[in-house]
Amino acid sequence: MVAKDNNDIKDFADLKGKRSAQSLTSNYGSRAESYGATLVSTDGFSKAADLVAQGRADATLNSDVSFYDYLKQNPNANIKIVNQVKDSTPSAAMFQKGQEDLVKQVDEVLTQLKQDGTLKSISEKYFNKDITQG
């Protein structure tokens, strides 16, 4: 993610020599460094997005869900997504061992909520976008 008026960074390779606002212990920070970015320390996505919007950092790497949540709270934010990795990291819920029946019930409910459009509706309510696809 970069400032809306930033046309220099279009791809991850363009991070070389740029400043990327990241939590220093995050995987996104490691990824930014792997592309040659210098890290600007921050303690969370909203602060990283603010640094980018203010021009105090050139970019930040993070999940698109964090971006859409930030935009929901800050609809006039001066940031945009310029590129995304093609692979995704699935989300999961944790259960105690031996709770296979509960896992099955949760899976069934999630399948039903997806099929009837409830998950899409919730996503659009909180993110202004359907993030359930992908």
Side-chain angles (χ1 to χ4, degrees), residues 26-61:
S26 78
N27 292 338
Y28 294 111
S30 299
R31 184 173 280 190
E33 283 183 312
S34 76
Y35 289 111
T38 300
L39 299 188
V40 176
S41 176
T42 185
D43 62 355
F45 177 74
S46 63
K47 291 196 176 163
D50 290 343
L51 290 173
V52 171
Q54 297 162 1
R56 296 170 54 204
D58 300 302
T60 186
L61 278 67

Side-chain angles (χ1 to χ4, degrees), residues 2-3 18 30 40 54 67 69 71 75 83 88 91 93 95 101 119 123 132:
V2 300
K18 304 293 186 191
S30 299
V40 176
Q54 297 162 1
F67 173 78
D69 179 54
L71 277 187
N83 201 346
S88 63
S91 297
F95 297 89
D101 288 342
L119 290 181
S123 175
T132 64

Side-chain angles (χ1 to χ4, degrees), residues 97-130:
K97 286 184 177 183
Q99 297 292 319
E100 288 79 15
D101 288 342
L102 178 59
V103 171
K104 183 178 177 185
Q105 290 173 2
V106 169
D107 285 344
E108 288 172 359
V109 169
L110 287 173
T111 298
Q112 179 183 351
L113 292 173
K114 186 170 184 169
Q115 289 174 345
D116 72 12
T118 300
L119 290 181
K120 178 180 177 183
S121 176
I122 291 169
S123 175
E124 289 172 343
K125 176 180 179 180
Y126 290 101
F127 299 106
N128 289 336
K129 181 173 178 62
D130 180 10

Side-chain angles (χ1 to χ4, degrees), residues 79-91:
I79 60 172
K80 64 182 177 182
I81 293 176
V82 293
N83 201 346
Q84 294 178 283
V85 294
K86 304 304 178 223
D87 60 338
S88 63
T89 303
S91 297

